[in-house]
Amino acid sequence: MGIFRTVVLLAFITCLGCEAASAERHIALVVGNSAYRQAPRLLNPVNDAILIADMLKTAGFDEVTTRLNLNASDMRRSLRDFGASARSADVAVIYYAGHGIELDGNNYLIPTDATLETDADVLDETVPVDRLMFAVEPAKKLRLIILDACRDNPFAKTMKRTIAARAIGGGLAKIEPSSPNTMIAFAAKAGSTASDGDFKNSPFAVALVEYLPKPGLDLRKAFGFVRDDVLRKTGYRQEPYVYGSLGGEDVPLVPAKPVAVGPQPNLDNAVRRDYELALQLDTRDGWNAFLARYPDGFYADLAKGQLNKIAAEEARSAAAEKARLAEQEKARLAAEGAKRAEQERAAAAAKAAEQARIAAEKAKQLAQARAEAGEETRAASEKAEAEAKAAERRAAEQAATDPAARQGGTESAVDQKKQEPQTVASLPPLSDIAATPSGVDLVKSVQSELRRVGCLTEAADGEWNAASQRSLMLFNQHAGTRFDVKLASADVLDAIKSKPSRVCPLVCDHGFRADGERCTRITCRAGYRVNDSNECEKALGKRPVASREKIAPQIDVERKRNEAAPTRLRASGQIICDQAGCRPVRPGCRITTARRAGNPLYSQYETCK
């Protein structure tokens, strides 16, 4: 009877703990400023604010207030109202996305109507971060401020300084909250700027949504995972940072689910049964229904792989149909004798559709290989589990028949039972079970794909050298990606395979121009030549220039003629020698010695009255 009362008392205390945890009040204020009047519009803050607000609502927050594109007065009013609500809250969270500025070591958030013509305007037109700390101060258990405001601030570049020595830094300044159980998270470390990314949401916001709402995950670990994820996605250019401290106990944003007391039924059998039913149906609706009931775990990863396989097959079918229709249109235009331009457009469309079909076929094969690898892993884990149970059953039977082996057999079965979950837990996630090449084969595959999209001209030799790195850099420039050029990875291979046609433009030598997928020689009409810009221009004739070879014979002839003239007549001035020879001077004329144009020697000619 005493044991029964003890069990009932423990269960009652556990229920009280559950009620106390569920009675905690969680509130949040989410602000996103994008539409600045005196600065270029920011693309992501409003999208990030909506994403974070949805995450907090899904996480079970009692009150989530979302405010977008606030001016100064609206920001102050929102903080005042939130501070009043925080008096009755256990957890208070403020998330801000937009522009911020650091002035003399203090941080300020910039409303959408700020002009900030001088540094003195910062005190009047912005909201200090200390005002946010004041708003969350009344919360009893946790105070969390998340600032995605470390962007490159355009106001700091145009702002006039009233004091030349006044410091206006890039990003935000380091801050140390004085209140206990208070954390302030920056999207980028103090003094550095954050990236908006190339997609709808910033890398920081995407990482927050992935890790913060995990039940029971301590905030310090969660922000550590966020840091690692953002560093990886930004190529180690942006490092989120957290200021403040918490106590020794774990402080999760979302409390862990309470653990029921007493023996629990084995849920693996039910999950396995439902998975096998969904596998028999093998439809999108069936797998979505399974994931709605079992969103996490080993079988959920397998179900996602099956959904990827179905999506890849649908994409392949659509691409094949598009290629077929494009080929039919090409044949029809050729049969009807359409214009050459129309036939060329149809041929280009058919070629692009065929390349898209090939890419979809490769994606389908990859998804199918991943799904098959997942099924092999599942079969191996179920076999190991069955063998462990059989060994445990045999040990129990042996212990029942042989009292001497009862203790040893039981311990052996228990050891096998302890080892069996470790086998399942050590299985890699489905995203890592991929039929992708590795090592030299991976490098060759990436090089071959780079050649296909026109970014690499050298052969695929399996050596990731400088030429291969330059080709990946060209792919990043023209495809809008940001892969590390020093590494050939599976992600790079998948990204290049997703491009159905040429990405890098065709580069031809001088005297040639790009014509589709090849270089053709530039032919100019008569009288024209190819200039340095690869364009035809009129060829200009060159003026003849006298050379020493042409002048020398003429000089020798005149010298010999002068020497052949009688010495007496030349000395008396009665004979003249020129190119035509030597002859007497005509009456009334005299001899003039001068140098003709283009002739370095002096010549004689007559000057008559």
Side-chain angles (χ1 to χ4, degrees), residues 268-277 279 298-299 302 374-390 420 423-424 427:
D268 288 343
N269 294 333
V271 177
R272 183 185 307 164
R273 183 179 62 253
D274 292 346
Y275 177 84
E276 291 174 351
L277 289 175
L279 186 62
F298 175 71
Y299 287 96
L302 294 178
E375 284 301 303
E376 292 177 0
T377 305
R378 179 176 74 91
S381 65
E382 291 178 355
K383 181 180 179 181
E385 182 181 358
E387 291 176 352
K389 290 182 178 179
E420 183 273 330
T423 303
V424 178
L427 293 174

PDB file of all heavy atoms in Angstrom, residues 268-277 279 298-299 302 374-390 420 423-424 427:
ATOM      1  N   ASP A 268       8.194   1.950 -32.423  1.00  0.00           N
ATOM      2  CA  ASP A 268       8.860   1.602 -33.675  1.00  0.00           C
ATOM      3  C   ASP A 268       8.016   0.659 -34.524  1.00  0.00           C
ATOM      4  O   ASP A 268       8.010   0.752 -35.754  1.00  0.00           O
ATOM      5  CB  ASP A 268      10.224   0.967 -33.381  1.00  0.00           C
ATOM      6  CG  ASP A 268      11.231   1.996 -32.878  1.00  0.00           C
ATOM      7  OD1 ASP A 268      10.967   3.200 -33.078  1.00  0.00           O
ATOM      8  OD2 ASP A 268      12.248   1.597 -32.302  1.00  0.00           O
ATOM      9  N   ASN A 269       7.306  -0.257 -33.874  1.00  0.00           N
ATOM     10  CA  ASN A 269       6.477  -1.198 -34.637  1.00  0.00           C
ATOM     11  C   ASN A 269       5.373  -0.469 -35.396  1.00  0.00           C
ATOM     12  O   ASN A 269       5.096  -0.767 -36.551  1.00  0.00           O
ATOM     13  CB  ASN A 269       5.879  -2.238 -33.687  1.00  0.00           C
ATOM     14  CG  ASN A 269       6.945  -3.131 -33.081  1.00  0.00           C
ATOM     15  OD1 ASN A 269       8.003  -3.345 -33.681  1.00  0.00           O
ATOM     16  ND2 ASN A 269       6.699  -3.636 -31.883  1.00  0.00           N
ATOM     17  N   ALA A 270       4.731   0.513 -34.741  1.00  0.00           N
ATOM     18  CA  ALA A 270       3.667   1.265 -35.408  1.00  0.00           C
ATOM     19  C   ALA A 270       4.224   2.103 -36.555  1.00  0.00           C
ATOM     20  O   ALA A 270       3.639   2.162 -37.644  1.00  0.00           O
ATOM     21  CB  ALA A 270       2.945   2.160 -34.394  1.00  0.00           C
ATOM     22  N   VAL A 271       5.377   2.760 -36.322  1.00  0.00           N
ATOM     23  CA  VAL A 271       5.985   3.579 -37.376  1.00  0.00           C
ATOM     24  C   VAL A 271       6.375   2.704 -38.560  1.00  0.00           C
ATOM     25  O   VAL A 271       6.138   3.051 -39.723  1.00  0.00           O
ATOM     26  CB  VAL A 271       7.214   4.333 -36.821  1.00  0.00           C
ATOM     27  CG1 VAL A 271       7.899   5.124 -37.931  1.00  0.00           C
ATOM     28  CG2 VAL A 271       6.805   5.260 -35.698  1.00  0.00           C
ATOM     29  N   ARG A 272       6.961   1.551 -38.252  1.00  0.00           N
ATOM     30  CA  ARG A 272       7.379   0.645 -39.320  1.00  0.00           C
ATOM     31  C   ARG A 272       6.177   0.150 -40.121  1.00  0.00           C
ATOM     32  O   ARG A 272       6.224   0.078 -41.353  1.00  0.00           O
ATOM     33  CB  ARG A 272       8.146  -0.527 -38.728  1.00  0.00           C
ATOM     34  CG  ARG A 272       8.687  -1.503 -39.756  1.00  0.00           C
ATOM     35  CD  ARG A 272       9.318  -2.681 -39.052  1.00  0.00           C
ATOM     36  NE  ARG A 272      10.302  -2.232 -38.069  1.00  0.00           N
ATOM     37  CZ  ARG A 272      10.776  -3.015 -37.108  1.00  0.00           C
ATOM     38  NH1 ARG A 272      10.324  -4.252 -36.987  1.00  0.00           N
ATOM     39  NH2 ARG A 272      11.670  -2.552 -36.263  1.00  0.00           N
ATOM     40  N   ARG A 273       5.106  -0.188 -39.429  1.00  0.00           N
ATOM     41  CA  ARG A 273       3.908  -0.681 -40.119  1.00  0.00           C
ATOM     42  C   ARG A 273       3.333   0.399 -41.049  1.00  0.00           C
ATOM     43  O   ARG A 273       2.988   0.125 -42.208  1.00  0.00           O
ATOM     44  CB  ARG A 273       2.862  -1.116 -39.093  1.00  0.00           C
ATOM     45  CG  ARG A 273       1.603  -1.704 -39.724  1.00  0.00           C
ATOM     46  CD  ARG A 273       0.605  -2.148 -38.667  1.00  0.00           C
ATOM     47  NE  ARG A 273       0.148  -1.026 -37.852  1.00  0.00           N
ATOM     48  CZ  ARG A 273       0.505  -0.822 -36.593  1.00  0.00           C
ATOM     49  NH1 ARG A 273       1.360  -1.657 -36.008  1.00  0.00           N
ATOM     50  NH2 ARG A 273       0.052   0.210 -35.909  1.00  0.00           N
ATOM     51  N   ASP A 274       3.230   1.629 -40.524  1.00  0.00           N
ATOM     52  CA  ASP A 274       2.696   2.714 -41.356  1.00  0.00           C
ATOM     53  C   ASP A 274       3.629   3.022 -42.530  1.00  0.00           C
ATOM     54  O   ASP A 274       3.175   3.363 -43.627  1.00  0.00           O
ATOM     55  CB  ASP A 274       2.489   3.970 -40.508  1.00  0.00           C
ATOM     56  CG  ASP A 274       1.365   3.789 -39.494  1.00  0.00           C
ATOM     57  OD1 ASP A 274       0.597   2.814 -39.643  1.00  0.00           O
ATOM     58  OD2 ASP A 274       1.275   4.605 -38.558  1.00  0.00           O
ATOM     59  N   TYR A 275       4.944   2.922 -42.307  1.00  0.00           N
ATOM     60  CA  TYR A 275       5.884   3.170 -43.397  1.00  0.00           C
ATOM     61  C   TYR A 275       5.717   2.134 -44.511  1.00  0.00           C
ATOM     62  O   TYR A 275       5.727   2.475 -45.702  1.00  0.00           O
ATOM     63  CB  TYR A 275       7.316   3.149 -42.851  1.00  0.00           C
ATOM     64  CG  TYR A 275       8.357   3.330 -43.931  1.00  0.00           C
ATOM     65  CD1 TYR A 275       8.724   4.590 -44.371  1.00  0.00           C
ATOM     66  CD2 TYR A 275       8.961   2.232 -44.532  1.00  0.00           C
ATOM     67  CE1 TYR A 275       9.668   4.765 -45.367  1.00  0.00           C
ATOM     68  CE2 TYR A 275       9.905   2.388 -45.535  1.00  0.00           C
ATOM     69  CZ  TYR A 275      10.251   3.659 -45.951  1.00  0.00           C
ATOM     70  OH  TYR A 275      11.185   3.817 -46.949  1.00  0.00           O
ATOM     71  N   GLU A 276       5.572   0.880 -44.113  1.00  0.00           N
ATOM     72  CA  GLU A 276       5.407  -0.168 -45.125  1.00  0.00           C
ATOM     73  C   GLU A 276       4.107   0.007 -45.902  1.00  0.00           C
ATOM     74  O   GLU A 276       4.054  -0.266 -47.113  1.00  0.00           O
ATOM     75  CB  GLU A 276       5.467  -1.532 -44.448  1.00  0.00           C
ATOM     76  CG  GLU A 276       6.856  -1.874 -43.910  1.00  0.00           C
ATOM     77  CD  GLU A 276       6.874  -3.158 -43.129  1.00  0.00           C
ATOM     78  OE1 GLU A 276       5.765  -3.700 -42.866  1.00  0.00           O
ATOM     79  OE2 GLU A 276       7.975  -3.629 -42.772  1.00  0.00           O
ATOM     80  N   LEU A 277       3.040   0.478 -45.231  1.00  0.00           N
ATOM     81  CA  LEU A 277       1.786   0.757 -45.948  1.00  0.00           C
ATOM     82  C   LEU A 277       1.987   1.904 -46.950  1.00  0.00           C
ATOM     83  O   LEU A 277       1.507   1.839 -48.098  1.00  0.00           O
ATOM     84  CB  LEU A 277       0.685   1.114 -44.940  1.00  0.00           C
ATOM     85  CG  LEU A 277       0.167  -0.033 -44.073  1.00  0.00           C
ATOM     86  CD1 LEU A 277      -0.824   0.494 -43.039  1.00  0.00           C
ATOM     87  CD2 LEU A 277      -0.496  -1.107 -44.930  1.00  0.00           C
ATOM     88  N   LEU A 279       4.759   2.712 -48.316  1.00  0.00           N
ATOM     89  CA  LEU A 279       5.639   2.221 -49.374  1.00  0.00           C
ATOM     90  C   LEU A 279       4.850   1.419 -50.412  1.00  0.00           C
ATOM     91  O   LEU A 279       5.158   1.459 -51.608  1.00  0.00           O
ATOM     92  CB  LEU A 279       6.745   1.370 -48.758  1.00  0.00           C
ATOM     93  CG  LEU A 279       7.854   0.891 -49.705  1.00  0.00           C
ATOM     94  CD1 LEU A 279       8.600   2.090 -50.296  1.00  0.00           C
ATOM     95  CD2 LEU A 279       8.825  -0.029 -48.983  1.00  0.00           C
ATOM     96  N   PHE A 298      14.154   8.312 -38.128  1.00  0.00           N
ATOM     97  CA  PHE A 298      14.768   7.542 -39.199  1.00  0.00           C
ATOM     98  C   PHE A 298      13.799   7.283 -40.350  1.00  0.00           C
ATOM     99  O   PHE A 298      14.120   7.482 -41.523  1.00  0.00           O
ATOM    100  CB  PHE A 298      15.292   6.233 -38.616  1.00  0.00           C
ATOM    101  CG  PHE A 298      15.851   5.278 -39.631  1.00  0.00           C
ATOM    102  CD1 PHE A 298      17.048   5.547 -40.258  1.00  0.00           C
ATOM    103  CD2 PHE A 298      15.176   4.110 -39.972  1.00  0.00           C
ATOM    104  CE1 PHE A 298      17.571   4.678 -41.197  1.00  0.00           C
ATOM    105  CE2 PHE A 298      15.686   3.238 -40.901  1.00  0.00           C
ATOM    106  CZ  PHE A 298      16.889   3.525 -41.508  1.00  0.00           C
ATOM    107  N   TYR A 299      12.578   6.853 -40.014  1.00  0.00           N
ATOM    108  CA  TYR A 299      11.604   6.540 -41.067  1.00  0.00           C
ATOM    109  C   TYR A 299      11.113   7.814 -41.767  1.00  0.00           C
ATOM    110  O   TYR A 299      10.734   7.764 -42.943  1.00  0.00           O
ATOM    111  CB  TYR A 299      10.430   5.770 -40.472  1.00  0.00           C
ATOM    112  CG  TYR A 299      10.790   4.340 -40.124  1.00  0.00           C
ATOM    113  CD1 TYR A 299      11.168   3.995 -38.832  1.00  0.00           C
ATOM    114  CD2 TYR A 299      10.781   3.348 -41.089  1.00  0.00           C
ATOM    115  CE1 TYR A 299      11.517   2.693 -38.512  1.00  0.00           C
ATOM    116  CE2 TYR A 299      11.126   2.041 -40.778  1.00  0.00           C
ATOM    117  CZ  TYR A 299      11.498   1.716 -39.489  1.00  0.00           C
ATOM    118  OH  TYR A 299      11.845   0.429 -39.180  1.00  0.00           O
ATOM    119  N   LEU A 302      13.566   8.433 -44.464  1.00  0.00           N
ATOM    120  CA  LEU A 302      13.316   7.527 -45.587  1.00  0.00           C
ATOM    121  C   LEU A 302      12.122   8.000 -46.414  1.00  0.00           C
ATOM    122  O   LEU A 302      12.134   7.933 -47.649  1.00  0.00           O
ATOM    123  CB  LEU A 302      13.073   6.113 -45.067  1.00  0.00           C
ATOM    124  CG  LEU A 302      14.255   5.407 -44.378  1.00  0.00           C
ATOM    125  CD1 LEU A 302      13.825   4.042 -43.871  1.00  0.00           C
ATOM    126  CD2 LEU A 302      15.433   5.269 -45.325  1.00  0.00           C
ATOM    127  N   GLY A 374      18.588   4.034 -48.914  1.00  0.00           N
ATOM    128  CA  GLY A 374      17.839   4.121 -47.665  1.00  0.00           C
ATOM    129  C   GLY A 374      17.102   2.849 -47.344  1.00  0.00           C
ATOM    130  O   GLY A 374      17.042   2.409 -46.175  1.00  0.00           O
ATOM    131  N   GLU A 375      16.521   2.215 -48.359  1.00  0.00           N
ATOM    132  CA  GLU A 375      15.818   0.948 -48.135  1.00  0.00           C
ATOM    133  C   GLU A 375      16.793  -0.147 -47.708  1.00  0.00           C
ATOM    134  O   GLU A 375      16.482  -0.979 -46.849  1.00  0.00           O
ATOM    135  CB  GLU A 375      15.076   0.533 -49.416  1.00  0.00           C
ATOM    136  CG  GLU A 375      13.803   1.334 -49.654  1.00  0.00           C
ATOM    137  CD  GLU A 375      12.822   1.185 -48.499  1.00  0.00           C
ATOM    138  OE1 GLU A 375      12.445   0.061 -48.170  1.00  0.00           O
ATOM    139  OE2 GLU A 375      12.488   2.221 -47.893  1.00  0.00           O
ATOM    140  N   GLU A 376      17.992  -0.165 -48.298  1.00  0.00           N
ATOM    141  CA  GLU A 376      18.994  -1.136 -47.872  1.00  0.00           C
ATOM    142  C   GLU A 376      19.399  -0.914 -46.418  1.00  0.00           C
ATOM    143  O   GLU A 376      19.563  -1.867 -45.644  1.00  0.00           O
ATOM    144  CB  GLU A 376      20.216  -1.047 -48.792  1.00  0.00           C
ATOM    145  CG  GLU A 376      19.941  -1.508 -50.224  1.00  0.00           C
ATOM    146  CD  GLU A 376      21.157  -1.322 -51.111  1.00  0.00           C
ATOM    147  OE1 GLU A 376      22.196  -0.829 -50.599  1.00  0.00           O
ATOM    148  OE2 GLU A 376      21.077  -1.656 -52.313  1.00  0.00           O
ATOM    149  N   THR A 377      19.537   0.354 -46.038  1.00  0.00           N
ATOM    150  CA  THR A 377      19.874   0.652 -44.647  1.00  0.00           C
ATOM    151  C   THR A 377      18.756   0.217 -43.706  1.00  0.00           C
ATOM    152  O   THR A 377      19.003  -0.321 -42.628  1.00  0.00           O
ATOM    153  CB  THR A 377      20.146   2.156 -44.497  1.00  0.00           C
ATOM    154  OG1 THR A 377      21.153   2.551 -45.427  1.00  0.00           O
ATOM    155  CG2 THR A 377      20.612   2.485 -43.093  1.00  0.00           C
ATOM    156  N   ARG A 378      17.512   0.455 -44.117  1.00  0.00           N
ATOM    157  CA  ARG A 378      16.382   0.041 -43.284  1.00  0.00           C
ATOM    158  C   ARG A 378      16.347  -1.476 -43.123  1.00  0.00           C
ATOM    159  O   ARG A 378      16.136  -2.005 -42.021  1.00  0.00           O
ATOM    160  CB  ARG A 378      15.071   0.526 -43.904  1.00  0.00           C
ATOM    161  CG  ARG A 378      13.822   0.119 -43.125  1.00  0.00           C
ATOM    162  CD  ARG A 378      12.591   0.709 -43.750  1.00  0.00           C
ATOM    163  NE  ARG A 378      12.231   0.043 -44.989  1.00  0.00           N
ATOM    164  CZ  ARG A 378      11.401  -0.994 -45.052  1.00  0.00           C
ATOM    165  NH1 ARG A 378      10.862  -1.505 -43.955  1.00  0.00           N
ATOM    166  NH2 ARG A 378      11.106  -1.538 -46.220  1.00  0.00           N
ATOM    167  N   ALA A 379      16.569  -2.191 -44.230  1.00  0.00           N
ATOM    168  CA  ALA A 379      16.557  -3.658 -44.148  1.00  0.00           C
ATOM    169  C   ALA A 379      17.669  -4.156 -43.223  1.00  0.00           C
ATOM    170  O   ALA A 379      17.461  -5.082 -42.428  1.00  0.00           O
ATOM    171  CB  ALA A 379      16.719  -4.249 -45.548  1.00  0.00           C
ATOM    172  N   ALA A 380      18.843  -3.506 -43.307  1.00  0.00           N
ATOM    173  CA  ALA A 380      19.940  -3.936 -42.445  1.00  0.00           C
ATOM    174  C   ALA A 380      19.634  -3.671 -40.978  1.00  0.00           C
ATOM    175  O   ALA A 380      19.918  -4.505 -40.101  1.00  0.00           O
ATOM    176  CB  ALA A 380      21.223  -3.208 -42.855  1.00  0.00           C
ATOM    177  N   SER A 381      19.040  -2.499 -40.686  1.00  0.00           N
ATOM    178  CA  SER A 381      18.715  -2.185 -39.293  1.00  0.00           C
ATOM    179  C   SER A 381      17.629  -3.107 -38.746  1.00  0.00           C
ATOM    180  O   SER A 381      17.697  -3.562 -37.595  1.00  0.00           O
ATOM    181  CB  SER A 381      18.269  -0.732 -39.180  1.00  0.00           C
ATOM    182  OG  SER A 381      17.057  -0.526 -39.884  1.00  0.00           O
ATOM    183  N   GLU A 382      16.615  -3.411 -39.556  1.00  0.00           N
ATOM    184  CA  GLU A 382      15.563  -4.315 -39.102  1.00  0.00           C
ATOM    185  C   GLU A 382      16.098  -5.735 -38.907  1.00  0.00           C
ATOM    186  O   GLU A 382      15.707  -6.441 -37.970  1.00  0.00           O
ATOM    187  CB  GLU A 382      14.409  -4.314 -40.112  1.00  0.00           C
ATOM    188  CG  GLU A 382      13.648  -2.997 -40.143  1.00  0.00           C
ATOM    189  CD  GLU A 382      12.536  -3.007 -41.175  1.00  0.00           C
ATOM    190  OE1 GLU A 382      12.439  -4.025 -41.915  1.00  0.00           O
ATOM    191  OE2 GLU A 382      11.786  -2.018 -41.249  1.00  0.00           O
ATOM    192  N   LYS A 383      17.046  -6.140 -39.763  1.00  0.00           N
ATOM    193  CA  LYS A 383      17.652  -7.455 -39.591  1.00  0.00           C
ATOM    194  C   LYS A 383      18.461  -7.518 -38.310  1.00  0.00           C
ATOM    195  O   LYS A 383      18.400  -8.509 -37.553  1.00  0.00           O
ATOM    196  CB  LYS A 383      18.540  -7.775 -40.796  1.00  0.00           C
ATOM    197  CG  LYS A 383      19.196  -9.148 -40.730  1.00  0.00           C
ATOM    198  CD  LYS A 383      20.061  -9.390 -41.966  1.00  0.00           C
ATOM    199  CE  LYS A 383      20.737 -10.760 -41.885  1.00  0.00           C
ATOM    200  NZ  LYS A 383      21.607 -10.994 -43.068  1.00  0.00           N
ATOM    201  N   ALA A 384      19.242  -6.438 -38.033  1.00  0.00           N
ATOM    202  CA  ALA A 384      20.021  -6.412 -36.798  1.00  0.00           C
ATOM    203  C   ALA A 384      19.121  -6.420 -35.580  1.00  0.00           C
ATOM    204  O   ALA A 384      19.410  -7.090 -34.570  1.00  0.00           O
ATOM    205  CB  ALA A 384      20.920  -5.164 -36.794  1.00  0.00           C
ATOM    206  N   GLU A 385      18.004  -5.704 -35.664  1.00  0.00           N
ATOM    207  CA  GLU A 385      17.070  -5.691 -34.546  1.00  0.00           C
ATOM    208  C   GLU A 385      16.447  -7.060 -34.334  1.00  0.00           C
ATOM    209  O   GLU A 385      16.303  -7.536 -33.189  1.00  0.00           O
ATOM    210  CB  GLU A 385      15.981  -4.646 -34.809  1.00  0.00           C
ATOM    211  CG  GLU A 385      14.983  -4.513 -33.668  1.00  0.00           C
ATOM    212  CD  GLU A 385      13.913  -3.481 -33.979  1.00  0.00           C
ATOM    213  OE1 GLU A 385      13.994  -2.863 -35.060  1.00  0.00           O
ATOM    214  OE2 GLU A 385      13.011  -3.318 -33.154  1.00  0.00           O
ATOM    215  N   ALA A 386      16.091  -7.737 -35.413  1.00  0.00           N
ATOM    216  CA  ALA A 386      15.504  -9.075 -35.288  1.00  0.00           C
ATOM    217  C   ALA A 386      16.509 -10.065 -34.716  1.00  0.00           C
ATOM    218  O   ALA A 386      16.161 -10.910 -33.872  1.00  0.00           O
ATOM    219  CB  ALA A 386      15.012  -9.539 -36.659  1.00  0.00           C
ATOM    220  N   GLU A 387      17.763  -9.963 -35.151  1.00  0.00           N
ATOM    221  CA  GLU A 387      18.782 -10.859 -34.612  1.00  0.00           C
ATOM    222  C   GLU A 387      19.008 -10.604 -33.128  1.00  0.00           C
ATOM    223  O   GLU A 387      19.212 -11.539 -32.344  1.00  0.00           O
ATOM    224  CB  GLU A 387      20.087 -10.679 -35.392  1.00  0.00           C
ATOM    225  CG  GLU A 387      20.018 -11.184 -36.828  1.00  0.00           C
ATOM    226  CD  GLU A 387      21.295 -10.913 -37.591  1.00  0.00           C
ATOM    227  OE1 GLU A 387      22.173 -10.197 -37.030  1.00  0.00           O
ATOM    228  OE2 GLU A 387      21.437 -11.396 -38.731  1.00  0.00           O
ATOM    229  N   ALA A 388      18.990  -9.336 -32.717  1.00  0.00           N
ATOM    230  CA  ALA A 388      19.173  -9.028 -31.304  1.00  0.00           C
ATOM    231  C   ALA A 388      18.025  -9.593 -30.469  1.00  0.00           C
ATOM    232  O   ALA A 388      18.239 -10.150 -29.384  1.00  0.00           O
ATOM    233  CB  ALA A 388      19.283  -7.518 -31.118  1.00  0.00           C
ATOM    234  N   LYS A 389      16.800  -9.447 -30.972  1.00  0.00           N
ATOM    235  CA  LYS A 389      15.654  -9.997 -30.239  1.00  0.00           C
ATOM    236  C   LYS A 389      15.712 -11.519 -30.182  1.00  0.00           C
ATOM    237  O   LYS A 389      15.371 -12.139 -29.158  1.00  0.00           O
ATOM    238  CB  LYS A 389      14.352  -9.531 -30.887  1.00  0.00           C
ATOM    239  CG  LYS A 389      14.072  -8.051 -30.688  1.00  0.00           C
ATOM    240  CD  LYS A 389      12.740  -7.667 -31.309  1.00  0.00           C
ATOM    241  CE  LYS A 389      12.420  -6.196 -31.068  1.00  0.00           C
ATOM    242  NZ  LYS A 389      11.125  -5.803 -31.682  1.00  0.00           N
ATOM    243  N   ALA A 390      16.141 -12.144 -31.285  1.00  0.00           N
ATOM    244  CA  ALA A 390      16.260 -13.604 -31.284  1.00  0.00           C
ATOM    245  C   ALA A 390      17.314 -14.060 -30.288  1.00  0.00           C
ATOM    246  O   ALA A 390      17.128 -15.054 -29.559  1.00  0.00           O
ATOM    247  CB  ALA A 390      16.594 -14.103 -32.686  1.00  0.00           C
ATOM    248  N   GLU A 420      22.051  -2.670 -29.738  1.00  0.00           N
ATOM    249  CA  GLU A 420      21.167  -2.586 -30.918  1.00  0.00           C
ATOM    250  C   GLU A 420      20.684  -1.167 -31.230  1.00  0.00           C
ATOM    251  O   GLU A 420      20.755  -0.733 -32.377  1.00  0.00           O
ATOM    252  CB  GLU A 420      19.988  -3.537 -30.706  1.00  0.00           C
ATOM    253  CG  GLU A 420      19.026  -3.619 -31.890  1.00  0.00           C
ATOM    254  CD  GLU A 420      17.963  -2.549 -31.825  1.00  0.00           C
ATOM    255  OE1 GLU A 420      17.607  -2.147 -30.697  1.00  0.00           O
ATOM    256  OE2 GLU A 420      17.518  -2.105 -32.888  1.00  0.00           O
ATOM    257  N   THR A 423      23.244   0.870 -33.140  1.00  0.00           N
ATOM    258  CA  THR A 423      23.377   0.606 -34.572  1.00  0.00           C
ATOM    259  C   THR A 423      22.431   1.482 -35.371  1.00  0.00           C
ATOM    260  O   THR A 423      22.788   2.080 -36.374  1.00  0.00           O
ATOM    261  CB  THR A 423      23.097  -0.883 -34.850  1.00  0.00           C
ATOM    262  OG1 THR A 423      23.981  -1.663 -34.073  1.00  0.00           O
ATOM    263  CG2 THR A 423      23.290  -1.180 -36.325  1.00  0.00           C
ATOM    264  N   VAL A 424      21.193   1.624 -34.878  1.00  0.00           N
ATOM    265  CA  VAL A 424      20.219   2.454 -35.583  1.00  0.00           C
ATOM    266  C   VAL A 424      20.589   3.923 -35.467  1.00  0.00           C
ATOM    267  O   VAL A 424      20.493   4.683 -36.409  1.00  0.00           O
ATOM    268  CB  VAL A 424      18.800   2.190 -35.012  1.00  0.00           C
ATOM    269  CG1 VAL A 424      17.790   3.088 -35.692  1.00  0.00           C
ATOM    270  CG2 VAL A 424      18.436   0.728 -35.204  1.00  0.00           C
ATOM    271  N   LEU A 427      23.241   5.309 -37.895  1.00  0.00           N
ATOM    272  CA  LEU A 427      22.974   5.363 -39.328  1.00  0.00           C
ATOM    273  C   LEU A 427      23.015   6.796 -39.811  1.00  0.00           C
ATOM    274  O   LEU A 427      22.502   7.694 -39.149  1.00  0.00           O
ATOM    275  CB  LEU A 427      21.585   4.768 -39.614  1.00  0.00           C
ATOM    276  CG  LEU A 427      21.451   3.277 -39.345  1.00  0.00           C
ATOM    277  CD1 LEU A 427      20.011   2.865 -39.518  1.00  0.00           C
ATOM    278  CD2 LEU A 427      22.354   2.477 -40.254  1.00  0.00           C
TER     279      LEU A 427
END
